[in-house]
């Protein structure tokens, strides 16, 4: 159970931070201005659960076949790259914003489909794959899914309550620092193991 709780906590924290300021968080806020909150959250949850299940499958498979020292080294470098990616920031393109605003049909299908496509190859998917190479797949899947949904729910609630976004610079720098800390930690762990 300790492994499950560790995977749950670490993946929740990493994915929650990774999602702050991400374009899918901006999509959540956009969808919430058009649809009721619950259908938006259900669509986000279903899409995230599917994408992250695929992610942990890939990561768990890689973790079972590759030496752990090299996985830690690659994961550490990946987390440093995620930190740089976070500093660069994400913005919705006009086309993505337009699709979110004019979606018709069921809100759950519209939101779920948009989120599924937006998350393929996104940093949260890649971070989930990376985490699954190090931790149990089930805890990583649950933690990463709940972390992402929590971050998107926060964007919706704060956006509705305050009518504006969280301070973008503080989010970017805070998330980048956390990614750098995780990256350095994994690289040091890898160096110690590969000696």
């Amino acid at each position: 159970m300790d492994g499950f709780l560790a995977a749950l906590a670490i993946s929740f924290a990493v994915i929650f931070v990774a999602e702050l300021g991400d374009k899918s968080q901006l999509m959540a806020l956009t969808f919430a201005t058009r649809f009721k909150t619950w259908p938006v959250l259900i669509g986000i949850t279903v899409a995230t659960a599917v994408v992250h299940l695929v992610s942990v499958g890939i990561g768990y498979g890689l973790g079972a076949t590759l030496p752990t020292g090299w996985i830690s080294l690659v994961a550490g470098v990946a987390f440093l790259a995620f930190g740089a990616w976070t500093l660069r920031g994400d913005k919705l393109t006009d086309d993505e914003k337009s699709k979110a605003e004019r979606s018709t049909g069921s809100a759950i299908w519209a939101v779920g489909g948009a989120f599924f496509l937006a998350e393929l190859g996104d940093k949260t998917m890649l971070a989930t794959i990376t985490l699954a190479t190090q931790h149990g797949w089930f805890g990583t899947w649950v933690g990463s899914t709940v972390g992402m949904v929590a971050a998107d729910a926060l964007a919706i609630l704060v956006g509705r309550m305050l009518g504006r976004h969280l301070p973008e610079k503080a989010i970017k720098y805070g998330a980048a620092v956390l990614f750098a800390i995780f990256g350095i930690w994994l690289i040091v762990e890898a160096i110690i193991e590969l000696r």
Side-chain angles (χ1 to χ4, degrees):
M1 194 61 158
D2 280 342
F4 170 78
L5 292 177
L8 180 79
I10 291 168
S11 60
F12 174 88
V14 168
I15 299 304
F16 182 86
V17 168
E19 184 63 8
L20 295 176
D22 192 69
K23 71 177 176 181
S24 50
Q25 194 180 42
L26 300 174
M27 284 175 64
L29 190 55
T30 302
F31 276 121
T33 63
R34 181 150 166 42
F35 302 117
K36 292 183 179 185
T37 302
W38 285 112
V40 172
L41 286 175
I42 291 169
I44 290 169
T45 303
V46 170
T48 301
V50 171
V51 169
H52 288 198
L53 185 59
V54 170
S55 301
V56 297
I58 293 167
Y60 188 75
L62 288 174
T65 59
L66 298 174
T68 57
W70 288 105
I71 290 173
S72 290
L73 185 61
V74 170
V77 171
F79 274 85
L80 292 176
F82 296 151
W85 189 347
T86 300
L87 283 175
R88 183 194 67 151
D90 260 342
K91 298 223 184 284
L92 285 178
T93 65
D94 290 337
D95 186 43
E96 289 169 329
K97 190 171 185 177
S98 165
K99 283 179 185 173
E101 289 171 348
R102 71 171 191 268
S103 293
T104 57
S106 168
I108 294 172
W109 282 107
V111 172
F115 266 79
F116 179 81
L117 294 174
E119 285 306 304
L120 294 176
D122 194 52
K123 70 181 169 191
T124 51
M125 181 183 185
L126 299 174
T128 302
I129 291 169
T130 304
L131 288 165
T133 64
Q134 301 285 313
H135 305 284
W137 73 270
F138 188 66
T140 301
W141 176 54
V142 172
S144 65
T145 301
V146 173
M148 185 161 164
V149 172
D152 290 336
L154 177 66
I156 293 168
L157 293 175
V158 170
R160 286 196 173 207
M161 290 173 57
L162 301 178
R164 57 190 162 100
H165 300 286
L166 292 170
E168 194 173 328
K169 281 187 180 181
I171 292 169
K172 271 192 206 180
Y173 294 131
V177 166
L178 288 174
F179 271 124
I181 289 169
F182 279 118
I184 291 167
W185 181 1
L186 287 169
I187 289 169
V188 168
E189 193 176 88
I191 291 170
I192 290 169
E193 189 172 331
L194 291 171
R195 281 184 168 183

